[in-house]
């Protein structure tokens, strides 16, 4: 998979086939990148409009930050595939090899880090979805809300993928620390998402 | 935009740029197609495994139905762009042209139909995410849950895009009927999503 060469249809086919990669983690990273791109679209449709002159600067910040997020998320899509394949390699080590357990545990820890990064980056995108939802061009408001839904979904996908890896990690201190940090991040994300959903409702976009 | 030629990076760039298409609607359709592809991956990783022999048939159904959904959703991504461009054309008709209002209203009604179809198709994908979440290979369970998050996000994107179009439609009977149907669909989707989230929690994937 290569974001600069893989087409939309090829990516769907690669996800669907009988191999575990690219899986939810890589898809979540691409979806978060699409959420970032939607924020950029709203910012681009807001900048230069007299009515929104007060938010020109904040929209420039959206463009810049979302460029950074997109780069990072595209990299995470690759990293997720690589990290998963390393776990698969470690699983294939013969069970009587004394280094197997250590290698597998190391690979699992690395594989937990990537979706954690996805969860953090999805939180960053969601923060900017809140900005575009509040201050973006009203003609593109459904796009800002759409971005929020995708960033939130990508966060949860990150969370699921951290947790499935943690469930096989034996280092209790590592697991405890990761769960604690993840809970903090989750509380923050749920708070932002809830406040965007309230805005959506106030503006008549809830049925 | 062409799903067979447009790369992931190109699609992100096209979304981000200073034109309203492709926007949330087209992105939502691609995301729902990715959710369908994740369901197929889980089904493919379940079929042929002794442990899951009882669910072989139901997994074959997942494959078949999600193939159909992916085709439909890819078409909806195009249709969304086309329908939006028609609205833009109608808006550009000089305001003293007596046919302007009728043409614009017709274009808006067509533009409301496409995201409604997206919302319905996302509901269909979500139903199969429930199947893969319940009966799919446990090693790929985070992928089944990921599919559910994406299908739910795509449903809400469809809803936002129906509502933004309805807000400019003057035919009150049309608006009333669409809102009624959308509410029914939403109640169904919220119910399925809620039950998947309960399953997620029961299985220790909530922090």
């Amino acid at each position: 998979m290569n974001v600069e060469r893989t087409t939309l249809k090829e990516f769907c086919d690669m996800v669907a086939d009988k191999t575990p990669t690219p899986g939810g983690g890589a898809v979540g990273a691409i979806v978060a990148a699409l959420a970032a791109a939607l924020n950029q679209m709203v910012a681009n449709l807001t900048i230069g409009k007299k009515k929104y002159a007060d938010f020109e600067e904040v929209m420039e910040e959206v463009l810049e930050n979302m460029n950074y997020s997109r780069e990072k998320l595209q990299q995470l899509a690759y990293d997720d595939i690589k990290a998963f394949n390393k776990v698969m390699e470690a699983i294939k080590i013969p069970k009587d090899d004394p280094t197997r357990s250590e290698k597998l545990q190391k690979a699992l820890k690395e594989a937990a880090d990537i979706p954690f990064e996805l969860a953090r980056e999805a939180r960053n995108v969601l923060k900017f979805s809140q900005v575009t939802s509040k201050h973006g061009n009203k003609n593109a408001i459904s796009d800002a809300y759409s971005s929020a839904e995708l960033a939130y979904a990508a966060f949860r996908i990150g969370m699921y993928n951290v947790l499935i890896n943690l469930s096989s990690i034996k280092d209790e201190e590592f697991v405890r620390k990761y769960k604690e940090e993840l809970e903090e991040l989750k509380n923050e994300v749920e708070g932002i998402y809830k406040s965007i959903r309230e805005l959506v409702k106030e503006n008549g976009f809830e049925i």
Side-chain angles (χ1 to χ4, degrees), chain A:
Chain A
M1 200 270 292
N2 180 309
V3 292
E4 290 185 21
R5 282 199 302 269
T6 306
T7 68
L8 295 168
K9 173 138 189 344
E10 281 167 350
F11 187 57
C12 274
D13 287 339
M14 290 164 87
V15 170
D17 75 12
K18 203 184 160 67
T19 60
T21 56
V27 171
I30 296 297
V31 166
L34 285 169
L38 278 172
N39 277 334
Q40 289 184 310
M41 180 182 111
V42 179
N44 275 321
L45 293 170
T46 307
I47 290 168
K49 297 272 191 301
K50 258 191 196 164
K51 197 176 161 187
Y52 300 101
D54 287 353
F55 303 107
E56 193 100 3
E57 214 167 305
V58 80
M59 290 299 149
E60 292 289 354
E61 270 175 46
V62 172
L63 289 183
E64 196 182 330
N65 280 280
M66 294 299 92
N67 253 340
Y68 173 82
S69 290
R70 278 172 58 190
E71 287 291 329
K72 180 137 196 206
L73 287 159
Q74 285 171 7
Q75 185 59 46
L76 284 174
Y78 294 119
D79 293 347
D80 192 79
I81 297 170
K82 270 196 292 182
F84 188 87
N85 289 339
K86 271 193 180 175
V87 172
M88 283 294 118
E89 273 171 40
I91 285 176
K92 281 179 196 152
I93 297 173
K95 286 195 173 154
D96 55 0
D97 184 330
T99 69
R100 184 181 186 270
S101 173
E102 197 189 321
K103 281 179 184 161
L104 178 58
Q105 288 297 312
K106 190 170 170 274
L108 282 165
K109 284 180 179 178
E110 284 171 12
D113 278 337
I114 311 299
F116 215 130
E117 270 309 299
L118 166 58
R120 282 194 199 95
E121 206 51 48
R123 180 262 324 262
N124 294 346
V125 175
L126 186 65
K127 277 185 177 175
F128 284 95
S129 304
Q130 191 173 31
V131 172
T132 55
S133 294
K134 272 186 183 165
H135 306 304
N137 188 327
K138 289 285 170 250
N139 293 329
I141 202 67
S142 61
D143 300 297
Y145 298 161
S146 299
S147 163
E149 297 297 339
L150 297 180
Y152 179 70
F155 166 77
R156 292 195 62 88
I157 290 174
M159 181 178 78
Y160 295 150
N161 282 283
V162 173
L163 290 173
I164 202 165
N165 283 299
L166 290 185
S167 69
S168 304
I169 293 174
K170 289 171 183 163
D171 178 346
E172 284 176 22
E173 181 52 26
F174 181 96
V175 172
R176 195 196 54 74
K177 199 176 136 255
Y178 269 54
K179 282 197 176 171
E180 215 173 84
E181 277 181 42
L182 193 57
E183 189 175 6
E184 214 171 293
L185 188 59
K186 191 200 145 179
N187 291 338
E188 183 188 355
V189 166
E190 293 291 346
I192 306 169
Y193 181 65
K194 205 179 150 197
S195 105
I196 298 174
R197 285 279 289 254
E198 277 162 16
L199 192 67
V200 162
K201 210 171 171 177
E202 277 169 30
N203 288 329
F205 280 80
E206 189 67 73
I207 202 96

